[in-house]
Amino acid sequence: MQEKNDMQNLIYTLLITQIKLGVYRQHDPLPYIKQMSDYLCVAPETVRAAYGRLKVEQVITLSKKAGAHLSAGCTENQIQQNIQEYFESRELCCWILPHPCRLCLARWSCCV
């Protein structure tokens, strides 16, 4: 049961991060529950629970016919700020980890 909740939280966090980074904009459709569950190799109920949480928080709207749509997205300025904060937090890990930083996926100036 705990593993299912972990996956729901992971999917929820993934979608929130994508929204904050501008992958999905206001009124954009999200993948259908079946598509998302197939892509992530999880049960549809797990995705449905994550979408349900987004609906309760009024981040998305859900409809059997139309699927899931983003209710309110971030402004362009918010997206730029979120992107900057996202990568700044990862750059910091390069300074904390021993050099050469083999765990960084991006090539930061501290890792060259």
Side-chain angles (χ1 to χ4, degrees), residues 46-59:
T46 306
V47 176
R48 189 173 291 112
Y51 277 31
R53 184 171 166 193
L54 292 168
K55 181 182 178 186
V56 167
E57 294 177 5
Q58 299 180 344
V59 175

Side-chain angles (χ1 to χ4, degrees), residues 22-64:
V23 173
Y24 297 110
R25 306 286 177 113
Q26 188 171 12
H27 305 298
D28 277 356
L30 271 63
Y32 288 106
I33 290 172
K34 177 72 171 128
Q35 290 173 318
M36 183 71 91
S37 69
D38 288 346
Y39 181 75
L40 297 175
C41 299
V42 298
E45 292 78 25
T46 306
V47 176
R48 189 173 291 112
Y51 277 31
R53 184 171 166 193
L54 292 168
K55 181 182 178 186
V56 167
E57 294 177 5
Q58 299 180 344
V59 175
I60 65 170
T61 58
L62 285 174
S63 163
K64 286 192 185 239

Side-chain angles (χ1 to χ4, degrees), residues 1-2 4 9 14 16 20 24-25 29 36 39-40 44 46 50 52 63 74 78 85 91 95 98 100-101 105 109:
M1 186 60 116
Q2 179 63 32
K4 186 175 180 178
N9 288 333
L14 169 70
I16 288 293
K20 287 182 177 181
Y24 297 110
R25 306 286 177 113
M36 183 71 91
Y39 181 75
L40 297 175
T46 306
S63 163
C74 297
Q78 288 171 323
E85 290 172 2
E91 183 177 20
W95 291 103
C101 177
L105 298 177
S109 59

